[in-house]
């Protein structure tokens, strides 16, 4: 059942659990997301970035999600534009049938971010569509970072309060120390949970954790054993994800874990059966691997058995 993003996240915020927001670029990834949600009995966000939309075509992305929603009508699902870079991009997504959009103007000064976000909110709310915005910059927190440096890149809670009040945004991604990709931390993982709790207290809306892939040991080992190399990659530990949910996070973005799990299985079969060229032989185990990752994630986040 395709629903607006705020319907899923307002419930999650009220009941204090997190909902996985999983990126997709093709049918195999999307199918695995729905199979996992069906197995775990979990609501979901399915996300497409501007790059993914360019790859698939916006009509294909929307129609695939609509088709899967009809196949699994009992699953609440929001179709979300991930990291929309402009008002025009968000408007195209809303007009195409997305039920949630993110306007990412976090690289601009506060006032410009607020102005751009407010325009997107006004446009999207006319169609009932929920809007996500971001404050701060995603980068890992290291032991040697000074207080001033930390305050320069992480979300300012008082600014978050003003931003939410004036923009009327539905959910906010506050920078608390994560980063995108497979290499999130150089040393021990660190997130600013106290800052997160204060943002939640001041804004009282669902919050979003970007750069939240965990890269579990078994996923990393599968990638390495198949001949891949992601070195000493570090994701966000499950215990950190759960602590973040306690602090107010309700939407947890996950992309890197799915890519790594998928490619590990494809490479493994390519190595073992060099004469194989049936795409189904490659993609079926790849889908199963992603499904396993997502079911585990839904259980960790607390969204399992919420439908």
């Amino acid at each position: 059942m395709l629903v607006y993003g705020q319907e899923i996240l307002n419930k999650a915020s009220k009941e204090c659990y997190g909902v996985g927001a999983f990126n997709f670029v093709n049918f195999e990834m999307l199918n695995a997301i729905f199979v996992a949600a069906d197995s775990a009995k979990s609501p979901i966000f399915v996300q497409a970035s501007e790059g993914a939309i360019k790859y698939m075509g916006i009509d294909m992305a929307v129609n695939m999600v609509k088709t899967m929603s009809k196949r699994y009508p009992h699953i609440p699902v929001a179709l979300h534009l991930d990291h929309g870079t402009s008002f025009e991009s968000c408007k195209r997504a809303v007009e195409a049938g997305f039920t949630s959009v993110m306007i990412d103007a976090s690289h601009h000064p506060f006032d410009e971010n607020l102005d751009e976000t407010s325009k997107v909110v006004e446009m999207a709310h006319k169609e009932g569509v929920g809007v996500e915005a971001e404050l701060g910059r995603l980068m890992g927190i290291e032991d040697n970072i000074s207080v001033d440096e930390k305050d320069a890149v992480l979300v300012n809670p008082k600014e978050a309060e003003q931003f939410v009040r004036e923009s009327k945004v539905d959910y906010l991604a506050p920078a608390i120390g994560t980063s995108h990709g497979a290499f999130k931390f150089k040393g021990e993982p660190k997130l600013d949970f106290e800052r997160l709790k204060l943002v939640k207290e001041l804004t009282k809306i669902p919050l979003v954790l970007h750069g939240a892939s965990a890269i579990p040991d078994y996923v990393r080992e599968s990638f390495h054993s198949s001949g891949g190399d992601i070195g000493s990659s570090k994701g966000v530990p499950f215990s950190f994800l759960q602590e973040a949910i306690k602090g107010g996070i309700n939407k947890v973005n996950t992309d890197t874990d799915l890519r790594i799990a998928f490619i590990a299985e494809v490479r493994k079969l390519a190595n073992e059966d060099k004469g194989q060229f049936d795409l189904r032989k490659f993609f079926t185990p790849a889908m199963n691997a992603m499904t396993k990752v997502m079911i585990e994630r839904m259980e960790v986040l607390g969204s399992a058995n919420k439908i």
Side-chain angles (χ1 to χ4, degrees), residues 242-255:
Q242 291 173 326
E243 188 67 23
I245 290 166
K246 291 179 183 177
I249 291 293
N250 303 112
K251 176 175 175 279
V252 181
N253 287 15
T254 304
D255 185 14

Side-chain angles (χ1 to χ4, degrees), residues 2-296:
L2 195 58
V3 302
Y4 295 116
Q6 61 270 41
E7 294 181 31
I8 294 175
L9 294 186
N10 287 343
K11 182 176 186 293
S13 182
K14 183 179 179 180
E15 299 180 17
C16 300
Y17 61 87
V19 176
F22 304 103
N23 287 68
F24 74 103
V25 300
N26 57 19
F27 164 77
E28 285 75 22
M29 296 186 80
L30 186 63
N31 186 60
I33 295 168
F34 274 88
V35 170
D38 182 50
S39 177
K41 297 180 175 59
S42 172
I44 47 172
F45 268 65
V46 293
Q47 303 193 147
S49 66
E50 291 179 349
I53 290 170
K54 182 178 180 181
Y55 177 75
M56 291 182 285
I58 196 166
D59 57 339
M60 183 63 72
V62 171
N63 286 322
M64 280 199 298
V65 172
K66 286 183 176 179
T67 297
M68 295 300 291
S69 296
K70 291 178 182 177
R71 184 178 294 181
Y72 296 95
H74 56 291
I75 298 174
V77 53
L79 173 56
H80 179 74
L81 173 65
D82 190 24
H83 288 283
T85 58
S86 66
F87 174 89
E88 291 74 19
S89 178
C90 292
K91 188 171 187 291
R92 282 194 298 271
V94 169
E95 291 173 345
F98 279 65
T99 61
S100 177
V101 295
M102 178 190 182
I103 175 63
D104 185 1
S106 59
H107 53 290
H108 293 304
F110 178 85
D111 288 342
E112 192 172 339
N113 186 356
L114 175 60
D115 182 60
E116 187 76 359
T117 299
S118 298
K119 291 176 182 177
V120 171
V121 169
E122 183 180 10
M123 175 274 298
H125 280 186
K126 290 178 181 177
E127 304 300 327
V129 173
V131 179
E132 173 184 335
E134 183 170 336
L135 280 178
R137 291 189 288 127
L138 264 65
M139 60 177 288
I141 307 173
E142 307 302 338
D143 285 328
N144 60 353
I145 189 171
S146 69
V147 174
D148 288 343
E149 290 174 313
K150 184 187 291 189
D151 285 339
V153 298
L154 301 187
V155 63
N156 179 313
K158 293 299 292 183
E159 285 187 348
E161 181 183 28
Q162 178 189 351
F163 188 91
V164 168
R165 181 180 67 250
E166 296 185 11
S167 71
K168 297 180 174 56
V169 73
D170 299 284
Y171 18 101
L172 180 71
I176 60 168
T178 57
S179 61
H180 290 297
F183 303 91
K184 302 183 187 302
F185 308 99
K186 293 179 182 178
E188 288 301 309
K190 293 182 182 296
L191 295 181
D192 196 332
F193 294 117
E194 292 307 313
R195 188 180 298 254
L196 171 64
K197 291 175 184 176
L198 184 54
V199 171
K200 186 73 170 189
E201 290 173 6
L202 293 174
T203 64
K204 297 178 175 60
I205 65 170
L207 301 180
V208 182
L209 188 65
H210 283 226
S213 285
I215 316 177
D217 289 342
Y218 71 89
V219 173
R220 183 188 299 104
E221 290 166 6
S222 178
F223 193 82
H224 285 161
S225 67
S226 69
D229 183 11
I230 48 173
S232 57
S233 57
K234 290 186 178 180
V236 181
F238 286 165
S239 61
F240 279 43
L241 294 179
Q242 291 173 326
E243 188 67 23
I245 290 166
K246 291 179 183 177
I249 291 293
N250 303 112
K251 176 175 175 279
V252 181
N253 287 15
T254 304
D255 185 14
T256 299
D257 286 344
L258 306 187
R259 299 186 193 192
I260 294 174
F262 186 100
I263 294 300
E265 294 302 317
V266 171
R267 185 183 284 116
K268 190 180 302 181
L269 181 61
N271 293 337
E272 294 172 353
D273 189 353
K274 297 186 183 300
Q276 184 58 254
F277 52 83
D278 184 340
L279 295 183
R280 294 167 295 182
K281 299 292 186 181
F282 290 92
F283 291 159
T284 299
M287 286 191 289
N288 292 340
M290 290 188 293
T291 298
K292 177 183 177 181
V293 168
M294 287 184 282
I295 291 174
E296 178 182 55

